[in-house]
Amino acid sequence: MFDILEADIVVFQETKIQQKDLRDDMVLVPGWDCFFSMPKHKKGYSGIVIYTRQSVCCPVRAEEGISGVLCPSNSSTSFSDLPEDQQIGGYPTLTQASDALDSTSLATDFVALDSEGRSVILEFPAFVLVGVYSPANRDETRDDFRLGFLNLLDIRVRNLVSMGKRVFLTGDLNISREELDTANAESAMRKNSMTTVEYFSTPTRRLFNQLLEDGKVYGERDHGRERAVLWDICRGFHPLRKGMFTCWEQKVNARPGNFGARIDYVLCSSSMKDWFSDSNIQEGLMGSDHCPVYATMKDVIAIGDAEFNTKDLMNPPGMFQQGRRMQKLSAKDMLPLSGRLIPEFDRRQSIRDMFKRTQTLSMEQSLETTDQSETDLAMVLSSNTIHDLEGNSPALKVKVVDYNATEDLSTPKRPGQTQRGIASFLNNTKRQPLEKQSDRPSKRVKLVSTIPAGSNLTKGQRNLRGFFKNKPTDAASSANVPITRKSSPKSSLSRPVLSNAIQQQKPSTASMVSMTSKTASTLANLKEDITSSFMSEAPLRKSNWVLNVHDPIESKESWSKLFSKPAAPRCEGHNEPCISLVTKKSGINCGRSFWMCPRPLGPSGAKEKGTQWRCQSFVWCSDWNSKVD
């Protein structure tokens, strides 16, 4: 997956997993570090993870949640109470928090807002990366929670900017910025009888536009939000592009017709505008109802009057100089929030490492080896730029990917159940040279040697082709001739013992002929007796037998009609077989099945006539069945 994305930082939202569901291929990814935030109470809900390529970038701090009230792993001290040199900073103050709580009438606290696994924050020397998964606008019962989450996010971002830190905000915000970012803006305003001003003045959209440059804000700005602090990178590179959507409704198959909305963003501080060389969406990458959004950083970025290599600012001080590694990555550089330090995965190897290395390495040596082996790979996958002979580093590509666990995650196994045995085997067993191992007979050799020399068992198959061959038919078994084994000193080792015995005990031709003739006469007599007894019965018996005959073809057709599904009607617009769906909307028709056109919705989002998109054909399944009857 990471090879396809060609990125150095990947952010996934809506992972829908718990710690017990984690597997080796999710955590122990060679050359990558990962930082998870999982829901504390709701199972199979929300979740976010950030992967960073170790050969290119390494964060200096990592936190979970927005408010700072959560605690690091194996600690009872919250992130906001840590020493200043261990904090990311920018936590909401009591005054700011009380204003947010009063404005949204929240009946919950910060712990509840951060307990659903909706944010991971990483700090690099260049900027603070904030990966979020904002609550969706499903129903009115979650409006207060959603607005409270966005308020805290706005406060945290503004506080970080006021501290002098640069911010890179990315993720699924579940907000369409303006009319250009959604296909149903006009229909939504018409359905809710809203004006354009009212549409942009909804609480979440107004809050979001006040955070962005060139955001449409009607009326005076809110207190504390007088200045925009973030820049929409993707829209900045494509200011007038229509249909640049990142999410589509799967229930109505709206993706082929591109009837969707742009709710996934890559945003950065206004001072970072010149840092990026490209930004776009990858609408052709399937696998979820969302598509990836990415932003590519330049090789060299300017801060004030000085220029810096990107790798110098994406790693701890002194690790890179002018894009070249000066220090190797060690175990002490791993942060407490790293997924590799989860108890089930700490100090363990992946199954791939078992085949790559001949001896067990320590964590520090493993990280060093991984760092060296992944450097060239990052140089190839990170950028399309041409590198000169001096070893210029590639551009850093940061991507955000929405990931639906119901589509890509298989049923997880218990982590460490098999690997724990493998790890202990690697740590406690010393490999012996091949010369010594060859002197010891294997278990299979012992098993074969226990078979008696005169046994009548055949040898097992020697290759895969023998598995598909038919079993040879024994003439002796069909003639009911007893098989007696005689030892033959001249028998070859390559010929089965059973075949040799059969050849020695082959019956004579005269005996086989006499047996065949005797069997034939017995069958002839039996047939004559049955025929005579049947013909001696009364004529009524014969007539009844004729009347009770059933036609097998007719019976098969009757059963097929009974159990087969009714033929689907054809749509009026395209003369194609309709598809059957079930109504889930509450009301008198909830649960009823209906037929409709199989084609996807068009760009207009409505059923069309005379086009290649979904036509207006619709019929209830009950009505269609009554017509057939």
Side-chain angles (χ1 to χ4, degrees), residues 317-420:
M319 187 166 290
F320 276 86
Q321 287 185 7
Q322 298 181 358
R324 296 183 179 181
R325 181 176 290 276
M326 307 303 295
Q327 298 179 8
K328 296 181 180 180
L329 192 67
S330 60
K332 66 180 182 180
D333 296 318
M334 300 186 66
L335 301 177
L337 194 62
S338 173
R340 290 178 174 269
L341 297 181
I342 296 177
E344 292 85 355
F345 302 94
D346 187 15
R347 300 184 182 278
R348 285 185 44 221
Q349 296 176 322
S350 65
I351 190 69
R352 187 179 301 177
D353 295 334
M354 187 174 64
F355 299 97
K356 282 186 176 181
R357 303 182 180 93
T358 58
Q359 60 181 1
T360 304
L361 301 178
S362 63
M363 178 181 294
E364 183 175 355
Q365 294 173 336
S366 177
L367 289 174
E368 293 175 359
T369 305
T370 302
D371 178 69
Q372 294 174 358
S373 61
E374 291 295 331
T375 302
D376 295 337
L377 183 62
M379 298 285 284
V380 176
L381 296 181
S382 297
S383 175
N384 295 325
T385 57
I386 300 177
H387 309 288
D388 55 23
L389 297 178
E390 296 180 359
N392 290 336
S393 61
L396 182 70
K397 183 175 289 187
V398 180
K399 287 189 180 180
V400 51
V401 180
D402 291 283
Y403 180 76
N404 192 341
T406 58
E407 297 181 3
D408 292 291
L409 287 182
S410 58
T411 304
K413 298 180 181 179
R414 293 178 59 187
Q417 188 172 9
T418 303
Q419 295 294 329
R420 199 170 287 130

Side-chain angles (χ1 to χ4, degrees), residues 511-524:
S511 61
M512 292 182 65
V513 171
S514 62
M515 290 180 63
T516 305
S517 60
K518 183 178 180 181
T519 304
S521 62
T522 304
L523 292 176

Side-chain angles (χ1 to χ4, degrees), residues 132-150:
V132 298
Y133 172 51
S134 176
N137 187 19
R138 301 297 182 186
D139 50 52
E140 297 180 355
T141 59
R142 297 271 293 177
D143 286 350
D144 289 344
F145 184 91
R146 182 180 184 225
L147 190 56
F149 181 87
L150 293 174

Side-chain angles (χ1 to χ4, degrees), residues 28 38 73 125 128 154 233 244 251 311 316 334 336 364 406 412 415-416 448 458 460 464 554 585 594 606:
L28 302 179
M38 292 168 282
S73 301
V128 177
D154 178 82
I233 305 175
M244 192 171 61
K251 296 180 180 179
K311 288 186 177 181
M334 300 186 66
E364 183 175 355
T406 58
V448 174
T458 60
L464 187 61
E554 183 180 355
K585 187 177 181 180
F594 60 90

Side-chain angles (χ1 to χ4, degrees), residues 148-362:
F149 181 87
L150 293 174
N151 268 303
L152 284 185
L153 178 62
D154 178 82
I155 294 172
R156 184 73 185 271
V157 170
R158 292 181 180 276
N159 288 348
L160 289 171
V161 173
S162 60
M163 291 174 59
K165 295 187 177 183
R166 291 172 289 270
V167 178
F168 189 100
L169 175 63
T170 183
D172 180 4
L173 298 180
N174 274 308
I175 304 173
S176 55
R177 176 180 171 181
E178 54 186 54
E179 303 101 316
L180 197 62
D181 297 318
T182 179
N184 65 341
E186 296 181 0
S187 60
M189 288 188 288
R190 185 169 55 253
K191 180 180 179 180
N192 298 321
S193 301
M194 300 173 62
T195 63
T196 304
V197 177
E198 293 174 342
Y199 178 78
F200 281 95
S201 298
T202 54
T204 55
R205 188 169 289 108
R206 177 179 173 85
L207 186 151
F208 186 47
N209 277 294
Q210 291 183 98
L211 191 65
L212 301 177
E213 289 188 6
D214 300 328
K216 293 184 179 180
V217 180
Y218 291 89
E220 295 183 0
R221 288 178 170 267
D222 298 342
H223 175 68
R225 299 178 179 136
E226 294 83 5
R227 183 172 65 96
V229 295
L230 296 182
W231 180 58
D232 190 347
I233 305 175
C234 196
R235 181 56 73 187
F237 279 91
H238 310 277
L240 302 178
R241 179 179 170 183
K242 296 182 179 180
M244 192 171 61
F245 304 139
T246 63
C247 180
W248 300 267
E249 182 67 34
Q250 286 186 318
K251 296 180 180 179
V252 296
N253 195 17
R255 187 164 188 171
N258 197 25
F259 184 78
R262 188 171 77 103
I263 59 178
D264 305 90
Y265 299 88
V266 281
L267 314 173
C268 70
S269 297
S270 302
S271 59
M272 298 171 59
K273 284 184 180 181
D274 298 332
W275 289 23
F276 299 92
S277 59
D278 184 30
S279 181
N280 206 337
I281 65 174
Q282 291 182 317
E283 66 275 17
L285 189 59
M286 310 300 288
S288 172
D289 57 340
H290 293 249
C291 77
V293 187
Y294 71 88
T296 307
M297 294 182 66
K298 297 179 181 178
D299 299 341
V300 179
I301 55 180
I303 301 179
D305 297 333
E307 292 185 348
F308 300 89
N309 190 284
T310 305
K311 288 186 177 181
D312 296 352
L313 300 179
M314 295 300 297
N315 290 273
M319 187 166 290
F320 276 86
Q321 287 185 7
Q322 298 181 358
R324 296 183 179 181
R325 181 176 290 276
M326 307 303 295
Q327 298 179 8
K328 296 181 180 180
L329 192 67
S330 60
K332 66 180 182 180
D333 296 318
M334 300 186 66
L335 301 177
L337 194 62
S338 173
R340 290 178 174 269
L341 297 181
I342 296 177
E344 292 85 355
F345 302 94
D346 187 15
R347 300 184 182 278
R348 285 185 44 221
Q349 296 176 322
S350 65
I351 190 69
R352 187 179 301 177
D353 295 334
M354 187 174 64
F355 299 97
K356 282 186 176 181
R357 303 182 180 93
T358 58
Q359 60 181 1
T360 304
L361 301 178
S362 63

Side-chain angles (χ1 to χ4, degrees), residues 30 42-43 56 75 84 97 106 124 144 178 222 226 265 297 307 355 389 391 445 459 482 519 525 547 597 608:
K42 292 187 177 182
K43 300 180 180 180
V56 177
S75 175
E84 292 187 2
L106 285 176
F124 301 89
D144 289 344
E178 54 186 54
D222 298 342
E226 294 83 5
Y265 299 88
M297 294 182 66
E307 292 185 348
F355 299 97
L389 297 178
V445 174
K459 291 184 177 181
T519 304
N525 294 335
L547 292 176
C597 179
E608 303 176 2

